Amino acid sequence: MHLNHSISIFTGNLPPSKALFLRLENAFLLCNTYEIIEVISQKENIETELRGWAKLRGHIYLGRERLKQQYSYKIQKIKKDSFLQKASWGKKMQGIDIGNPKLKDLNLSDEILSIAPQNNGLLTRGIVVEENSPIYDFELSHKEQVWSNPVSILYEEGKSLQWNATTDIAWNEIPDLNPVLERAICQIMTYLVENEFSALYIPAKFISKINPYYMEVPLFLSSLMNDEARHIEVFTKRANANGGGFQYSSGVTQRSLFSLFKEDDYIKSSFLLHVMGEGTFVDLLSFLEKYMPDEATKKIIRLAKRDEMRHVAYGIEHVKSAIEQNPNRINALKNTAFKRKEFMDEINGESSILLEALAILAAGSDEPNAYKRGFDLLEELKEKMNENRVKRLVNIGIDEDLANDISKAHTPNFM
């Protein structure tokens, strides 16, 4: 028998058993269809069992040849159930030797494809899939739909800057405040919780649609969701810290958040949520941190703002990259912003209950002259929000005139 074989399996004195057939099973999975595998055994009479196994698996038993002190049995693979390529081996990850392996140092493949392979299921780059595995048909399988260049770095940063809403805040140092000021803070915390729910639920809508070939993106969004869950927790605790509790949810706020939640295009959603909404939210948090009367609550705001700035960084690079690859997206984003404005215009106005709370916080009281000063500071904040939105829009590739128009169309709910 002079049939060329590509693989030899040395089975020693193994009898025909589950252990032997497990080795054969995997050897045949890893070889190509029509390849011949040689089983070298010390056993002289296992022909019947090997022939039966080959027939059961859809392969062809080719015969036996006597070697010096062993026997060569050959089987040809016929069934098409191979893995589609060879797995990598010998690629040690950077950072292991110094005990600091970062996600950005992973080298899962030679390049990150612009379209994920159709057969990429619940697995990422570098994992070899068996042919005939299920096709998941992920909705977001194009790199330009989801990718943001610093996503690996932002993910690592998000992990290293995690904080605990129970133990990292000096809850017992929050002072008893004037009821007017405390009520304003409780109203602001109520509003923050509402908006953080949108920032938690919206990414959750998309994670299962993102092809895990781009593994870094769902990992980052998972860390983002963890951030938002912590924000909901900490703002809830602060609202209840002095016995005030939650206050009121305005129709404007809920309508604005609904217009975010119903967006089904991921790039448009990222634009509205991360670039426009959370970007503006960062300015609001800076305002709150500045005027909060106690250090413990200032720290809550400061830590939440640090997280939000990371989310904005992802959104800016994500949308910027999407526009660079397809400049026509600018029109789509513009239409999305104006369409949202039309939706919001159906109920003219702002959340008066929130604005009054913000003015009282900035003033430190509701005394008329102080309140007027607080209201003026709030108007300055809105101008600052507008300026910074325009800067972010220009940063992602929108010209300044259009950036001004889009910024002015932003929701009065800020988020």
Side-chain angles (χ1 to χ4, degrees), residues 33 79-84 119 129-135:
T33 305
K79 189 178 178 183
K80 296 179 179 180
D81 62 349
S82 301
F83 286 95
L84 296 178
N119 60 0
V129 65
E130 187 177 353
E131 62 183 337
N132 300 321
S133 291
I135 302 297

Side-chain angles (χ1 to χ4, degrees), residues 151-404:
V151 66
S152 299
I153 297 171
L154 294 172
Y155 175 69
E156 293 286 352
E157 181 183 302
K159 287 189 302 174
S160 66
L161 296 179
Q162 290 292 300
W163 49 282
N164 189 314
T166 298
T167 59
D168 289 338
I169 305 299
W171 293 104
N172 58 351
E173 295 179 10
I174 297 176
D176 290 329
L177 301 173
N178 178 299
V180 171
L181 186 55
E182 179 66 25
R183 191 183 299 277
I185 292 174
C186 289
Q187 179 58 57
I188 292 166
M189 293 298 152
T190 303
Y191 162 83
L192 293 177
V193 166
E194 293 177 87
N195 283 272
E196 296 291 7
F197 262 109
S198 74
L200 171 65
Y201 273 55
I202 291 169
K205 277 177 48 180
F206 291 103
I207 280 187
S208 63
K209 298 179 180 180
I210 297 173
N211 197 311
Y213 176 83
Y214 305 109
M215 176 181 75
E216 294 85 343
V217 178
L219 290 186
F220 172 74
L221 291 181
S222 298
S223 74
L224 179 153
M225 290 171 61
N226 191 34
D227 293 340
E228 307 299 5
R230 188 173 54 245
H231 298 173
I232 293 169
E233 175 192 352
V234 79
F235 294 143
T236 297
K237 287 179 174 176
R238 178 58 190 90
N240 288 278
N242 274 345
F246 284 141
Q247 301 298 303
Y248 304 100
S249 170
S250 72
V252 171
T253 294
Q254 282 303 311
R255 191 174 180 85
S256 176
L257 297 182
F258 178 70
S259 68
L260 263 180
F261 183 75
K262 72 177 184 176
E263 179 55 63
D264 288 328
D265 179 284
Y266 183 59
I267 295 175
K268 293 176 182 176
S269 175
S270 184
F271 171 70
L272 291 177
L273 176 63
H274 302 309
V275 179
M276 299 287 281
E278 289 185 312
T280 302
F281 218 58
V282 167
D283 290 328
L284 174 64
L285 293 175
S286 294
F287 180 86
L288 297 180
E289 182 186 358
K290 182 175 182 179
Y291 294 109
M292 277 297 166
D294 65 282
E295 285 303 318
T297 310
K298 279 181 183 286
K299 185 176 181 181
I300 290 172
I301 301 296
R302 183 166 59 250
L303 292 173
K305 184 176 73 172
R306 189 175 68 185
D307 294 337
E308 297 296 350
M309 290 173 70
R310 189 164 56 251
H311 308 167
V312 175
Y314 165 77
I316 286 177
E317 291 303 320
H318 171 216
V319 179
K320 183 177 181 180
S321 172
I323 289 175
E324 286 173 351
Q325 294 174 70
N326 183 0
N328 289 330
R329 288 194 188 281
I330 290 177
N331 275 334
L333 297 178
K334 178 190 72 175
N335 292 336
T336 297
F338 289 167
K339 186 177 175 183
R340 189 182 186 201
K341 182 178 185 306
E342 289 176 9
F343 179 75
M344 293 303 299
D345 283 349
E346 291 178 16
I347 53 163
N348 289 326
E350 302 172 302
S351 174
S352 57
I353 202 164
L354 171 69
L355 296 182
E356 182 178 337
L358 291 171
I360 290 173
L361 174 73
S365 82
D366 64 348
E367 187 277 325
N369 289 335
Y371 172 73
K372 174 62 170 61
R373 186 174 65 253
F375 187 82
D376 291 342
L377 290 170
L378 184 57
E379 291 298 301
E380 290 178 15
L381 169 64
K382 292 180 185 177
E383 284 300 314
K384 185 71 174 176
M385 288 173 166
N386 181 58
E387 290 174 16
N388 288 337
R389 273 197 302 272
V390 171
K391 288 178 183 175
R392 286 192 298 278
L393 292 170
V394 170
N395 188 12
I396 63 174
I398 296 176
D399 72 65
E400 190 165 348
D401 287 342
L402 180 57
N404 270 299

Side-chain angles (χ1 to χ4, degrees), residues 5-9 24 27-28 31 35-39 73-77:
H5 59 273
S6 55
I7 300 169
S8 293
I9 306 172
L24 294 183
F28 276 79
C31 74
E35 277 191 291
I36 295 174
I37 288 185
E38 178 187 41
V39 180
Y73 303 88
K74 291 186 177 176
I75 303 172
Q76 185 175 29
K77 175 172 180 171

Side-chain angles (χ1 to χ4, degrees), residues 114-150:
S114 58
I115 304 177
Q118 188 183 27
N119 60 0
N120 196 94
L122 283 176
L123 49 93
T124 188
R125 308 184 301 280
I127 297 177
V128 181
V129 65
E130 187 177 353
E131 62 183 337
N132 300 321
S133 291
I135 302 297
Y136 283 70
D137 197 22
F138 288 103
E139 186 176 314
L140 298 170
S141 287
H142 288 69
K143 185 179 178 183
E144 71 170 274
Q145 292 176 305
V146 299
W147 195 253
S148 177
N149 281 332

